[in-house]
Amino acid sequence: MEPKIALDLYRTMVLIRTFEEAILREYHADKKPVFDIGAGQIPGEMHLSAGQEPVAAGVCAHLTTDDAVTATHRPHHFAIAHGVDLRKMAAEIFGRVDGLGHGRGGHMHLFDPDTHFSCSGIIAEGYPPALGQALAFQRQGNARIAVAVTGEGAANQGAFHESLNLASLWKLPVVFVVEDNDWGISVPRSASTCVTSNAVRAAGYDMPGERVEDNSVEAVHAAAERAVARARAGEGPSLIEVHTLRLWGHFEGDAQGYRPDLEGVPGRDPLPTYEAELRRAGVLGDAGAREAADAAAQRVEDAIAFAKQSAEPAPETARDYVFA
Amino acid sequence: MTLTEPSSPVPTSTQRKLSTAKAMVEGIAQEMERDPGVFVLGEDVGSYGGIFSSTTGLLEKFGPQRVLDTPISETAFIGTAIGAAVEGMRPIVELMFVDFFGVCMDQIYNHMAKIHFESGGNLTVPMVLTTAVGGGYSDGAQHSQCLWGTFAHLPGMKVVVPSTPADAKGLMISAIRDDNPVVYLFHKGIMGLPWMAKNRRSIGPVPEDEYEVPIGKASIVRPGRDVTIVTLSLSVHHALDVADELAGDNVECEVIDLRSLVPMDTDTILESVGRTGRLLVVDEDYLSFGLSGEVIARVVERDPTLLRAPARRVCVPDVPIPYARSLEYAVLPTADRIRRAVLEVVTA
């Protein structure tokens, strides 16, 4: 891989991790000593994507902000990799008036018209609207595409299967991405899914299916390159499943008592793994790593500060935006 | 709003007459001609022309790029309409029977109806979801419901229900041009279908030009001094039949066709009840937790002294629509039930 591309992937992953570590701090800071999910400056459920950065970085490297991305309830890594404004995103997570949805959406419902980014809090139901975005792009006759993301648990939902069929039938420019982090909340893939790889399900819908086993950002990048090229060429959808890793809980506050592999998880963190790989290859040195870390820290600090200084939406505006 | 203001073009006897189905299709076709972003998708909307003739002739006129038959995958194709709408197109997507909403309700109420809100107004979802409602022909409990109250209960979508050919066209044009998602529910019994017992008003005068019937404006289809009947869709015609009949007995019914549940024209209802002092709500949807309770609540909340007699309602009692004709007609809001209720209200 070209060093420049490798470094870009690395920097994207660092930015995502830095952002989520900051959110993690801010989220828990005001919820102690007794955890209260609705308390504090970031209220509500929080699903962080640490460990899954390779999927977003590898896929979104092939996209421009003219392409659409529909992510899941665990959306931050894809939002950042796709270029959603970090300040507005942070402000939305804080529920502030300068957020993407002026505090109406929250962290599971991020909508950004500038980058055609959206996500859905409902399992698999982000797939169907992505078909419509792809249809609109197909009609416009340009090479824009839609990327639709789910987790492996969502691949057992009807919406997943309906969407694969319709996209293949109409040769829509879609890349379906399945993030297999092994767990649907507390239920392991082996207890929920009859196939060991969702990539094989693509064959049932007459589209290429590819599984990336090792959470390698470069392998995701390569697989996505093929799928994106096929979509842009008007040849129809593809499916990529990435065997990735959820470093932290399903949500913050999840003690993960159901998880037997927990001890070994930190050792499989893809970020230090990739950093070591780049250092071995001579692509990254101390200075480069520090530079990436500093740049990310600066952007994240700025975004969090922006979010904190933004006002809470005025109560008298609670009924705004129901209708256009 | 004034009571004398015509809220839709008043058809004259010299105008050509169309069935409701044809009027609805004409509205769609005129908008498709005007705006290349308008397209139609759904089950059997192509060469079949919609199983209730809601898209007849569109495929021949506009071709398969703009009239798309879909697989039987309501979640996928309604979601497709949503995504296309978000990207600036104006899809019309047909859910064949409203009774099927269970297989795709997430796309409707969590996505179609909420994206504008969740995006803080930054995205719009300008689409029309059409679907057939209503019973009266022994199609059983899974194919005869109205359910408009369900959609009206959930915020973020407008809900329109035409009763006449002229309104069917004008409301369709308004729905397509609206920047919000609009659920357009058409009763099979008003469509003028060749294979169903026809309501005599299902064919009527329809202006040829394109025109809008504003969403959110009720129509006083018959003025009267003694009782206000608030209703919609096929029940408007039953109410008019009863009103004609009772006029001979010196009972003058004022019949209000709501035409939309969201937004609901509360002012017209209040003005009318203010004059008649008596209120009957006729609704082919289920009795409890629905439109009829909502209308009465809005009147009572504003001013309980408007009512000189207790309000009444004729609805489907809380039972699934039965198959056997005798049972189905026992629960539908028939003219007989409406007549009895009117007489009870005016003599109370």
Side-chain angles (χ1 to χ4, degrees):
Chain A
M1 173 170 281
E2 279 180 46
K4 186 191 173 305
I5 297 174
L7 280 175
D8 281 348
L9 294 174
Y10 174 72
R11 290 188 191 114
T12 301
M13 288 169 61
V14 169
L15 178 63
I16 296 166
R17 182 67 62 85
T18 307
F19 182 81
E20 291 214 310
E21 283 171 345
I23 293 293
L24 184 67
R25 273 195 307 277
E26 299 294 338
Y27 182 77
H28 283 291
D30 46 17
K31 286 186 170 59
K32 290 169 181 173
V34 180
F35 183 76
D36 174 354
I37 196 166
Q41 56 185 352
I42 302 180
E45 278 186 79
M46 179 55 63
H47 313 82
L48 297 174
S49 61
Q52 300 183 195
E53 296 92 343
V55 192
V59 170
C60 293
H62 302 287
L63 308 180
T64 76
T65 52
D66 284 338
D67 297 313
V69 173
T70 302
T72 71
H73 62 287
R74 194 182 305 285
H76 301 166
H77 55 325
F78 267 95
I80 293 169
H82 192 50
V84 172
D85 184 280
L86 216 55
R87 287 178 151 198
K88 289 184 187 172
M89 182 176 156
E92 187 60 28
I93 293 168
F94 276 73
R96 302 299 166 90
V97 73
D98 295 309
L100 288 168
H102 309 309
R104 271 72 178 179
H107 111 97
M108 282 191 278
H109 314 110
L110 304 170
F111 290 89
D112 180 23
D114 293 340
T115 62
H116 303 269
F117 180 86
S118 59
C119 51
S120 168
I122 312 290
I123 293 301
E125 297 283 344
Y127 267 28
L131 306 184
Q133 292 178 295
L135 179 73
F137 299 157
Q138 189 185 57
R139 292 296 165 91
Q140 289 159 6
N142 48 41
R144 298 165 70 188
I145 68 165
V147 171
V149 187
T150 68
E152 92 287 350
N156 297 315
Q157 277 278 13
F160 176 91
H161 295 274
E162 289 187 16
S163 298
L164 263 58
N165 177 64
L166 187 56
S168 183
L169 183 72
W170 288 355
K171 287 206 173 341
L172 295 174
V174 186
V175 176
F176 296 110
V177 176
V178 180
E179 294 185 283
D180 175 11
N181 65 16
D182 284 327
W183 296 96
I185 307 184
S186 70
V187 177
R189 173 162 45 86
S190 60
S192 66
T193 303
C194 65
V195 290
T196 49
S197 162
N198 283 297
V200 305
R201 287 175 154 169
Y205 300 102
D206 196 25
M207 70 175 78
E210 192 167 346
R211 182 168 163 100
V212 176
E213 268 302 344
D214 57 4
N215 209 16
S216 149
V217 68
E218 294 196 1
V220 175
H221 186 272
E225 187 164 22
R226 292 184 277 275
V228 168
R230 179 176 143 85
R232 290 205 199 283
E235 292 163 14
S238 311
L239 184 147
I240 300 167
E241 180 167 70
V242 182
H243 191 198
T244 185
L245 172 74
R246 199 180 76 202
L247 275 177
W248 304 336
H250 166 70
F251 54 85
E252 287 314 308
D254 175 5
Q256 303 188 78
Y258 53 84
R259 198 161 171 183
D261 67 332
L262 209 50
E263 261 182 40
V265 160
R268 293 190 283 134
D269 186 338
L271 194 52
T273 304
Y274 192 47
E275 185 177 324
E277 201 179 311
L278 293 182
R279 282 174 183 271
R280 270 199 307 277
V283 171
L284 185 73
D286 287 344
R290 199 178 314 112
E291 197 183 314
D294 288 350
Q298 200 179 343
R299 284 191 62 191
V300 169
E301 195 181 327
D302 167 73
I304 300 287
F306 177 81
K308 285 182 170 177
Q309 63 78 39
S310 177
E312 296 224 6
E316 58 269 24
T317 65
R319 293 173 63 181
D320 288 359
Y321 307 125
V322 176
F323 289 111
Chain B
M1 169 184 330
T2 64
L3 294 174
T4 52
E5 181 186 350
S7 45
S8 65
V10 180
T12 65
S13 57
T14 56
Q15 285 176 311
R16 77 329 172 5
K17 292 185 175 179
L18 290 182
S19 69
T20 305
K22 284 184 178 156
M24 185 176 155
V25 173
E26 186 171 273
I28 295 172
Q30 286 178 346
E31 285 303 287
M32 288 180 77
E33 277 163 10
R34 197 179 68 89
D35 181 349
V38 178
F39 70 104
V40 177
L41 72 168
E43 292 149 354
D44 305 294
V45 298
S47 59
Y48 198 101
I51 65 160
F52 299 110
S53 305
S54 56
T55 57
T56 303
L58 292 175
L59 177 67
E60 290 74 8
K61 198 163 187 176
F62 296 100
Q65 285 294 302
R66 296 187 69 192
V67 183
L68 286 68
D69 273 325
T70 62
I72 303 170
S73 307
E74 287 86 353
T75 291
F77 72 71
I78 290 174
T80 297
I82 295 167
V86 164
E87 294 297 339
M89 300 185 81
R90 290 189 177 265
I92 301 161
V93 60
E94 181 165 306
L95 169 66
M96 190 181 281
F97 286 75
V98 75
D99 313 71
F100 303 167
F101 84 97
V103 298
C104 54
M105 194 56 166
D106 184 77
Q107 287 300 319
I108 297 171
Y109 89 112
N110 269 326
H111 292 80
M112 182 185 87
K114 289 180 182 166
I115 285 174
H116 179 72
F117 178 79
E118 290 173 327
S119 72
N122 288 319
L123 290 172
T124 55
V125 190
M127 60 181 282
V128 185
L129 174 67
T130 62
T131 186
V133 302
Y137 61 110
S138 286
D139 217 7
Q142 297 177 352
H143 291 75
S144 301
Q145 301 168 100
C146 285
L147 297 177
W148 40 58
T150 303
F151 298 90
H153 179 68
L154 300 162
M157 49 193 147
K158 295 187 176 177
V159 180
V160 306
V161 191
S163 69
T164 66
D167 277 3
K169 177 177 170 181
L171 283 170
M172 175 56 77
I173 291 174
S174 295
I176 295 168
R177 294 180 185 179
D178 201 295
D179 284 335
N180 295 285
V182 179
V183 181
Y184 181 109
L185 303 112
F186 56 90
H187 197 295
K188 300 146 204 164
I190 65 159
M191 293 291 270
L193 301 172
W195 46 276
M196 205 173 267
K198 270 197 225 15
N199 178 281
R200 66 188 163 92
R201 297 186 194 83
S202 58
I203 294 172
V206 178
E208 291 187 30
D209 292 342
E210 54 188 70
Y211 60 91
E212 293 182 61
V213 170
I215 297 173
K217 270 189 154 184
S219 166
I220 297 179
V221 289
R222 179 191 173 102
R225 62 171 189 267
D226 296 322
V227 56
T228 299
I229 304 177
V230 174
T231 187
L232 72 173
S233 194
L234 181 64
S235 298
V236 170
H237 306 299
H238 298 329
L240 286 172
D241 290 343
V242 169
D244 287 348
E245 189 189 324
L246 291 180
D249 298 334
N250 206 26
V251 174
E252 289 296 338
C253 302
E254 178 145 304
V255 180
I256 294 178
D257 179 354
L258 281 177
R259 300 200 293 198
S260 70
L261 281 79
V262 181
M264 187 186 284
D265 185 355
T266 311
D267 288 346
T268 293
I269 299 169
L270 289 167
E271 284 168 18
S272 175
V273 175
R275 281 181 284 105
T276 64
R278 296 171 195 273
L279 172 63
L280 169 69
V281 186
V282 181
D283 181 13
E284 199 181 314
D285 202 348
Y286 300 118
L287 171 75
S288 298
F289 310 103
L291 170 71
S292 60
E294 181 64 33
V295 169
I296 293 167
R298 289 193 189 197
V299 171
V300 173
E301 273 176 345
R302 182 69 66 92
D303 183 358
T305 67
L306 290 177
L307 290 171
R308 284 188 277 133
R312 291 293 307 256
R313 30 187 186 158
V314 174
C315 307
V316 174
D318 300 322
V319 58
I321 312 291
Y323 166 73
R325 189 175 293 112
S326 58
L327 298 177
E328 183 177 24
Y329 278 86
V331 304
L332 289 176
T334 54
D336 279 348
R337 289 181 63 203
I338 296 168
R339 187 189 313 103
R340 283 201 301 275
V342 168
L343 293 174
E344 283 170 18
V345 173
V346 296
T347 57

